[in-house]
């Protein structure tokens, strides 16, 4: 029972955190990706050098709140 409960809670929290990441990535304006493509960057370089650094500013506070919530629980 304990293992099943831990698995269920872990999957639920993982889904919630994945939504935080998705929201952070979608918060970066599409024009940033278009500008990077116009400069000749590959999709991978566009993500690692343009999108991710901007998205991490949105993702980190939400992750911090989730960590505090987990510690409290």
């Amino acid at each position: 029972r304990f293992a099943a409960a831990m698995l269920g809670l872990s999957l639920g929290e993982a889904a919630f955190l994945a939504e935080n990441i998705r929201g952070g990535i979608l918060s970066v304006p599409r024009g940033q990706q278009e500008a990077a493509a116009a400069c000749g960057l590959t999709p991978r370089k566009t993500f690692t050098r343009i999108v991710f650094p901007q998205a991490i500013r949105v993702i980190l506070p939400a992750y911090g709140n989730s960590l505090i919530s987990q510690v409290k629980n």
Side-chain angles (χ1 to χ4, degrees), residues 3-73:
M6 286 300 294
L7 179 65
L9 291 173
S10 297
L11 289 176
E13 187 67 20
F16 183 73
L17 294 177
E19 282 297 313
N20 287 339
I21 293 173
R22 187 182 71 85
I25 291 171
L26 291 178
S27 71
V28 178
R30 180 76 177 152
Q32 298 286 333
Q33 295 175 4
E34 292 171 358
C39 290
L41 268 68
T42 64
R44 182 179 178 141
K45 282 188 179 182
T46 298
F47 181 78
T48 58
R49 294 185 181 180
I50 307 296
V51 175
F52 187 70
Q54 294 179 47
I56 199 72
R57 294 179 187 161
V58 177
I59 295 169
L60 281 181
Y63 261 73
N65 290 338
S66 293
L67 177 65
I68 290 169
S69 176
Q70 286 291 336
V71 169
K72 283 182 176 181
N73 290 333

